[in-house]
Amino acid sequence: MSRYNFRESEAKWQQRWRDGATFAARHDPARPKYYVLEMFPYPSGKLHVGHVRNYTMGDLVARYRRACGYNVLHPMGWDAFGLPAENAAIAGGIHPAVWTAENIATMRGQLQRMGFAYDWAREIATCHPAYYRHEQKMFLDFLAKDLAYRKESWVNWDPVDHTVLANEQVIEGRGWRTGALVEKRLLSQWFLRITRYSDDLLSALEKLDRWPERVRLMQEHWIGRSEGARVRWPLSDGRTTIEVFTTRPDTLYGASFIALSPHHPFSEKLAADNPALAEFIAECDRIGTSEEAIETAEKRGFRTGIDAVHPLDKERRVPVYVANFVLMEYGTGAIFGCPGHDQRDLDFARKYGLPVIPVVLPPKTDPASFAIGDTAYVEDGTIFNSSFLNGMSVTDAKRAVGERLEASGAGERTIAYRLRDWGVSRQRYWGCPIPVIHCADCGIVPVPEADLPVRLPEDVDFAAPGNPLDRHPTWKHVACPNCRKPAVRETDTFDTFFESSWYFLRFCSARAPVAFERAAADYWMPVDQYIGGVEHAVLHLLYSRFFMRALSECGYLRLDEPFAGLFTQGMVCHQTYQNAEGEWLFPEEVQTDPAGRLLDADSRPVVAGRLEKMSKSKKNVVGLDTIVDTYGADTARLYLLSDSPPERDLEWTDTGIEGAWRYVNRLWRMVSEPPVPLPPPGAAIPASLPPALAALRRTTHKTIAAVTDDIDKFRFNRAVARIRELSNALEDLDPSDPAAAGPVLREGLETVTRLLGPMMPHLAEEMWHELGHAEMLADAAWPVADAALARDEQVTIAVQVNGRLRATLDLPRDAAASEVEEAALALPQVTRLLEGKVPRKVVVVPNRIVSVVA
RNA sequence: GCGGACGUGGCGAAACGGUAGACGCAGCAGACUUAAAAUCUGCUUCCCGACAGGGAGUGCGGGUUCGAUUCCCGCCGUCCGCACCA
């Protein structure tokens, strides 16, 4: 009984692929291209099995498309800037560049051991000046096009990482990496004008028909388009005019107050000579942005004592408040409150004793008896109490008010977006330097292109908190490029999402002296199939879409959407364990005693927690090296593909990987010890075969058709099941007629081998070789099903009586409906139930079912 | 609160509106072994039954249909995203 020697085989075939540059992608406009990309990893240390699921899927797609004749680009690189490197430097005295390079070396080795078909000649790491110099140039181009700008603003400050976070990086009020409660700080920051494309980023989602619906919805919500109106309210003392944004201009006659954000310019102006208001605003800032803080924070307002004049009725006045719940960043930073038809406004009005004027009457309601209680009426209805709007629908009233406002100059219809500009400044060392210089005389001066790249200094000190670039003795001190007087460099670095927003373009011509060669990008882009985690649904995936538009505007290329197809894979989960102290334990630290109790190494009780995504922090990880050492890369790959649908989470179990390993050996035995002698490759199959062998051939060709379809539709678990079905059938082969069985078995084994090629490439190469082929399987074409053989000539038809299955009929394919009906009605199981009566109805679905209604 | 996804054996899961549970894991029985591992064979949704067969069954309650895991309506539960967005 021979065992498959994966160690020898995997090393051998990896060597063969490397020597032959099998997976090198060559620019060839004559051939159809296919660009497969998995989201590139951050080099955090070592890979565990959870990391490689999406690379396994990407590799399957890449190898499959290659076999189908596409010119495939399948590159890999490293998202190499980021805080963990810097934190390691602070903790362990190792330079971030060294730490990063070591991790890359480790992880590259791990990926290579998995046998992924990458074009390693295109490998990139974003921390190299050869990479980041190009994004410094992009930034200068963005500046020139007013796509980048600097402004002072309230930002999200992570007190643990000592840096600013983008809105997208704040999850439930906490930093996405540290989990620390985010604070508000007023800082001068660089922003990218993503809002210039709000409308296009939103409307183009519709065309991304190979993206998951859920990701498109998340982006749609994130961009958050709201149609409404800007309305100007003059103050009664004539000092200024307050502009508000509303989505309900139809309820304008129900207004009973104006509320300004604490950061509204007019609030701040009033606070300058109103200490009580200044104190109120300071208090608002003290309340965090966390979920708890918002939930529990009372809706509070400060009455300014000023009134505003109703824009549609000069006689009406409403009081102006400063209120803690009004955001400066959305709309105009001011609202009008209509308590009758907005719950929050109602709560505010009740609290401060403001009038509640209903202006939308629910259908079939008597206006005389309609009153607002504790619940605002937010549904549709007929406008009343509203002058010229009375009797209109909500929709009509919105239009009528818009027209009136525009005619009188008191406002206009407009669209507000939730999306805000992307703050890209980070007060950290390990990132791409922002290429500008601050000069006392000239202001902000871009670094001249000839001086790029602005390199990170290597001699930095991490002993003190804060940004080492800022503390560096010499680096930031430069002459102003304009006036040559002493000036200082910008010491902030880019958000690392800057690097990942265009790396897919760099892969198209990874060694080019420019960011990317236009011709290469025009050929390879867009990415045909992108694969990664759903956690980037709004971050990376939205920024990349923005970058394509911005780069197009700057003349780099002409393409809006970077990723034509997107697949978001599920996570790999594993049981978690904790001891009585709540400390996490590695799976290998946990044992089961004879009574079935879980114990740690010192025989103390252990609690099994829920299944969670594999993560170092919870210690529920299975090392990739251990698995590859024990079972080989192919076994791990098969398991990652077979047990769950790709989009769903997969539970990693020891028994599961063992099952995959058993199958690997079964496959190897099938080709190395066939039950009948196999004819040489290419041998003809006898035209006339015993029925069992003819059926086996049909199974073979049906499997080709089904697996091809499954792979096209990303149903990898089903594809594996189909292949296993075929190999099960091949194992049941009747060896009594070797002359007929041999060719059929060869066809079946070759089919299994070829279908498995993209999933278990080393084993498949070894089987292919064992089956007598000199060429590599990686260079063989994808099998094509014989359409005639892939269809059954006999079909099993189910027979139902009153909706219940009572029998089955084996009949020739496409038998006439009348014959099928006749055969069904003659069945004893059917006649018994009919009791001699004529059926009321008979439905015949060709080749499927007969449904008899008694 | 808003939006979305999901709910099928002991477990992971299959099933163009057409024979529910393919494929695998675990389990049970057996074969081969001095024995174990490995491997092979059979069984394995639940209930009644020795078999044949019958009944129930896809979270719950309705509906459409000859026929519903699938479509529609209403609940319940789990997970995810957003959340003071005017």
Side-chain angles (χ1 to χ4, degrees):
Chain A
M1 169 94 37
S2 72
R3 277 199 145 202
Y4 172 57
N5 187 340
F6 65 84
R7 265 175 259 273
E8 208 172 276
S9 169
E10 292 183 353
K12 176 177 72 187
W13 292 107
Q14 284 166 19
Q15 185 68 45
R16 290 278 299 271
W17 297 327
R18 202 175 311 132
D19 291 348
T22 305
F23 303 113
R26 288 175 197 89
H27 183 97
D28 182 358
R31 294 181 58 204
K33 64 92 185 182
Y34 200 91
Y35 188 174
V36 189
L37 188 64
E38 300 102 56
M39 290 180 185
F40 69 161
Y42 177 77
S44 56
K46 263 184 175 199
L47 295 173
H48 57 68
V49 292
H51 289 124
V52 295
R53 192 179 184 199
N54 65 328
Y55 308 133
T56 301
M57 293 177 192
D59 201 54
L60 192 169
V61 173
R63 287 173 179 269
Y64 165 69
R65 291 290 166 181
R66 196 181 127 77
C68 291
Y70 288 95
N71 190 18
V72 169
L73 173 57
H74 186 216
M76 179 44 73
W78 310 97
D79 190 13
F81 274 138
L83 278 173
E86 206 165 331
N87 291 339
I90 294 164
I94 182 170
H95 194 280
V98 176
W99 185 86
T100 302
E102 284 175 0
N103 289 344
I104 288 176
T106 304
M107 288 167 66
R108 183 196 299 117
Q110 289 183 298
L111 291 181
Q112 284 171 341
R113 275 191 84 192
M114 289 299 290
F116 294 134
Y118 295 127
D119 180 357
W120 284 105
R122 292 173 189 256
E123 180 185 2
I124 56 174
T126 58
C127 62
H128 292 153
Y131 182 86
Y132 68 68
R133 66 178 302 155
H134 303 297
E135 66 189 43
Q136 292 178 337
K137 166 81 164 68
M138 288 173 189
F139 182 77
L140 298 180
D141 291 332
F142 290 170
L143 266 179
K145 292 273 183 193
D146 193 33
L147 280 162
Y149 66 97
R150 190 171 170 85
K151 81 167 181 206
E152 187 164 80
S153 72
W154 289 91
V155 294
N156 308 301
W157 180 262
D158 187 317
V160 172
D161 276 347
H162 295 286
T163 190
V164 162
L165 298 175
N167 294 318
E168 288 83 350
Q169 290 163 333
V170 180
I171 314 293
E172 293 181 349
R174 291 168 184 274
W176 71 305
R177 299 204 70 104
T178 63
L181 280 176
V182 166
E183 299 166 4
K184 288 275 170 204
R185 285 206 182 178
L186 189 63
L187 285 178
S188 217
Q189 299 283 294
W190 286 102
F191 286 84
L192 297 188
R193 207 178 290 283
I194 188 170
T195 55
R196 182 177 292 178
Y197 308 104
S198 298
D199 198 49
D200 189 45
L201 286 167
L202 180 68
S203 58
L205 285 171
E206 227 173 277
K207 288 177 278 179
L208 295 174
D209 56 344
R210 290 203 298 119
W211 278 42
E213 184 61 29
R214 149 170 107 113
V215 173
R216 290 190 288 171
L217 266 168
M218 280 161 72
Q219 292 210 358
E220 194 181 315
H221 289 151
W222 192 263
I223 297 168
R225 182 184 197 271
S226 297
E227 289 184 15
R230 272 197 300 265
V231 185
R232 284 180 282 277
W233 298 66
L235 297 186
S236 57
D237 62 8
R239 261 207 278 182
T240 188
T241 295
I242 301 296
E243 190 171 63
V244 305
F245 173 76
T246 178
T247 55
R248 294 296 303 272
D250 53 302
T251 64
L252 207 47
Y253 282 101
S256 55
F257 64 94
I258 295 283
L260 306 178
S261 164
H263 295 305
H264 194 280
F266 190 65
S267 306
E268 287 172 352
K269 196 171 163 196
L270 290 174
D273 39 38
N274 185 339
L277 178 56
E279 173 52 29
F280 175 80
I281 292 173
E283 227 172 281
C284 294
D285 286 340
R286 249 172 265 137
I287 297 166
T289 51
S290 73
E291 188 182 6
E292 305 96 286
I294 288 166
E295 285 288 301
T296 51
E298 234 184 317
K299 309 284 177 271
R300 293 180 55 208
F302 182 95
R303 184 153 188 170
T304 61
I306 300 168
D307 285 343
V309 181
H310 195 283
L312 298 178
D313 180 355
K314 299 274 175 288
E315 303 309 311
R316 273 179 72 178
R317 305 279 147 106
V318 297
V320 176
Y321 284 78
V322 174
N324 63 350
F325 61 87
V326 182
L327 304 174
M328 192 56 224
E329 303 85 45
Y330 184 75
T332 61
I335 61 163
F336 83 81
C338 175
H341 307 287
D342 181 282
Q343 190 58 45
R344 199 192 40 210
D345 293 350
L346 181 63
D347 296 343
F348 191 84
R350 292 284 188 238
K351 178 165 178 171
Y352 292 103
L354 297 164
V356 178
I357 310 157
V359 290
V360 182
L361 189 65
K364 301 183 191 107
T365 308
D366 174 12
S369 64
F370 180 61
I372 302 288
D374 292 334
T375 311
Y377 180 72
V378 296
E379 310 292 314
D380 241 342
T382 308
I383 306 293
F384 71 129
N385 288 339
S386 294
S387 171
F388 70 100
L389 302 175
N390 288 343
M392 290 187 190
S393 69
V394 165
T395 316
D396 288 346
K398 281 180 178 171
R399 195 190 51 241
V401 169
E403 284 165 2
R404 180 70 63 102
L405 289 170
E406 283 163 14
S408 68
E412 53 272 319
R413 282 167 284 187
T414 185
I415 293 157
Y417 295 92
R418 212 188 76 108
L419 184 68
R420 284 157 215 174
D421 279 336
W422 173 19
V424 292
S425 297
R426 296 293 181 274
Q427 293 69 41
R428 299 303 302 235
Y429 164 73
W430 194 233
C432 172
I434 300 176
V436 296
I437 290 163
H438 299 267
C439 172
D441 292 346
C442 311
I444 288 166
V445 183
V447 173
E449 251 181 80
D451 294 349
L452 296 183
V454 177
R455 287 171 187 267
L456 279 177
E458 281 168 30
D459 52 334
V460 282
D461 149 41
F462 294 98
N467 183 354
L469 287 179
D470 206 30
R471 293 196 306 270
H472 192 279
T474 56
W475 182 77
K476 71 175 176 182
H477 301 289
V478 289
C480 169
N482 227 4
C483 66
R484 311 313 300 174
K485 282 192 213 147
V488 289
R489 287 191 187 284
E490 170 74 60
T491 58
D492 286 353
T493 51
F494 285 133
D495 180 0
T496 58
F497 279 102
F498 204 110
E499 281 83 63
S500 53
S501 294
W502 69 281
Y503 77 107
F504 40 87
L505 288 163
R506 183 69 182 161
F507 279 136
C508 297
S509 48
R511 301 290 174 263
V514 292
F516 53 90
E517 281 160 9
R518 179 70 190 265
D522 283 347
Y523 175 59
W524 291 113
M525 288 295 289
V527 174
D528 295 277
Q529 186 62 61
Y530 199 32
I531 300 171
V534 76
E535 66 271 18
H536 289 112
V538 279
L539 290 156
H540 161 60
L541 290 167
L542 187 60
Y543 295 149
S544 299
R545 297 181 62 223
F546 157 67
F547 248 69
M548 290 297 286
R549 287 164 171 79
L551 291 174
S552 289
E553 188 168 333
C554 294
Y556 280 73
L557 78 171
R558 194 67 256 163
L559 186 67
D560 283 349
E561 291 298 337
F563 313 120
L566 172 69
F567 186 85
T568 52
Q569 90 281 354
M571 298 175 297
V572 179
C573 297
H574 196 276
Q575 183 88 56
T576 50
Y577 299 101
Q578 280 173 290
N579 63 17
E581 284 79 51
E583 292 161 339
W584 301 101
L585 299 172
F586 286 109
E588 57 268 27
E589 295 176 316
V590 180
Q591 297 143 35
T592 313
D593 76 0
R597 284 178 301 232
L598 296 172
L599 301 172
D600 70 4
D602 302 326
S603 297
R604 293 175 306 179
V606 170
V607 182
R610 46 183 264 169
L611 285 180
E612 297 209 51
K613 179 193 177 178
M614 277 194 190
S615 73
K616 260 196 259 180
S617 61
K618 296 201 173 128
K619 294 196 175 177
N620 61 338
V621 287
V622 175
L624 184 61
D625 292 336
T626 318
I627 293 299
V628 176
D629 286 345
T630 315
Y631 301 104
D634 283 337
T635 301
R637 292 170 62 129
L638 177 72
Y639 179 54
L640 289 168
L641 292 170
S642 62
D643 247 33
S644 283
E647 67 279 6
R648 224 178 284 180
D649 288 350
L650 169 78
E651 186 194 353
W652 185 275
T653 61
D654 292 344
T655 51
I657 186 77
E658 277 160 22
W661 172 232
R662 275 199 293 275
Y663 184 56
V664 164
N665 283 296
R666 261 173 68 197
L667 286 165
W668 177 241
R669 252 175 275 126
M670 285 169 73
V671 294
S672 60
E673 300 162 19
V676 293
L678 298 177
I685 298 171
S688 160
L689 290 167
L693 290 175
L696 189 53
R697 281 206 75 195
R698 290 188 179 280
T699 304
T700 299
H701 284 267
K702 281 199 287 202
T703 304
I704 294 172
V707 169
T708 305
D709 188 48
D710 286 337
I711 292 178
D712 280 334
K713 293 177 175 147
F714 263 71
R715 294 189 298 215
F716 305 139
N717 57 323
R718 277 226 332 205
V720 172
R722 298 277 197 176
I723 297 170
R724 291 186 86 130
E725 255 179 297
L726 173 57
S727 59
N728 287 348
L730 293 171
E731 281 183 325
D732 292 339
L733 174 101
D734 173 7
S736 60
D737 180 359
V744 173
L745 181 59
R746 164 168 285 281
E747 185 186 38
L749 290 174
E750 289 196 348
T751 298
V752 167
T753 303
R754 293 160 85 190
L755 297 178
L756 282 171
M759 304 176 184
M760 297 198 282
H762 315 86
L763 173 65
E765 289 284 7
E766 200 64 49
M767 289 166 69
W768 193 240
H769 180 76
E770 183 75 12
L771 286 167
H773 292 273
E775 62 154 0
M776 279 199 293
L777 181 65
D779 292 323
W782 191 248
V784 177
D786 180 319
L789 283 171
R791 261 201 349 222
D792 278 313
E793 55 189 10
Q794 269 309 102
V795 290
T796 303
I797 293 173
V799 180
Q800 289 186 348
V801 180
N802 291 337
R804 293 197 59 95
L805 179 75
R806 294 296 170 180
T808 57
L809 280 171
D810 285 319
L811 292 170
R813 169 176 263 280
D814 298 330
S818 55
E819 286 171 36
V820 177
E821 179 174 338
E822 200 179 315
L825 292 178
L827 287 167
Q829 297 94 319
V830 177
T831 50
R832 195 182 67 229
L833 286 157
L834 283 174
E835 294 167 337
K837 289 183 221 119
V838 179
R840 285 198 289 152
K841 188 171 180 181
V842 179
V843 180
V844 177
V845 182
N847 301 323
R848 287 241 166 229
I849 201 164
V850 182
S851 185
V852 180
V853 188

